[in-house]
Amino acid sequence: MGINYKKLWILLIEKEISPARLRKDLNIATGTMTKLRKNEEVALSVLLRICEYLNCDIGDICQVLRLNNE
């Protein structure tokens, strides 16, 4: 299984929030932002902080992907 954060980037565009502003406002490490951009796993606590900041549910910022062999 994998994860995709495409919904996060779309939501940021809709709310006119830049990724840099998100990172600064939530004090997210640059390495964590890189993981988000590369659709890699990040800590649930980070995702929950993002949800609180954007006033949304976790399903609004990420999607679980099933790999073909699973």
Side-chain angles (χ1 to χ4, degrees), residues 1-2 65-70:
M1 296 185 88
L65 303 174
R66 291 194 179 270
L67 302 178
N68 292 336
N69 58 355
E70 291 183 14

Side-chain angles (χ1 to χ4, degrees), residues 3-67:
I3 192 157
N4 183 297
Y5 299 104
K6 184 177 180 180
K7 291 180 174 184
L8 170 61
W9 309 122
I10 292 170
L11 190 58
L12 288 177
I13 291 168
E14 289 173 353
K15 292 183 178 263
E16 298 181 357
I17 299 170
S18 71
R21 180 174 158 205
L22 176 76
R23 187 182 76 74
K24 182 181 174 190
D25 288 351
L26 295 180
N27 196 27
I28 297 173
T30 54
T32 301
M33 289 300 292
T34 299
K35 286 182 176 184
L36 288 168
R37 283 189 205 97
K38 292 183 175 183
N39 292 318
E40 296 176 358
E41 294 179 18
V42 299
L44 181 59
S45 60
V46 172
L47 297 177
L48 293 176
R49 283 185 11 230
I50 292 171
C51 288
E52 183 176 3
Y53 179 79
L54 296 174
N55 192 31
C56 67
D57 187 56
I58 197 161
D60 296 330
I61 63 168
C62 63
Q63 178 181 10
V64 175
L65 303 174
R66 291 194 179 270
L67 302 178

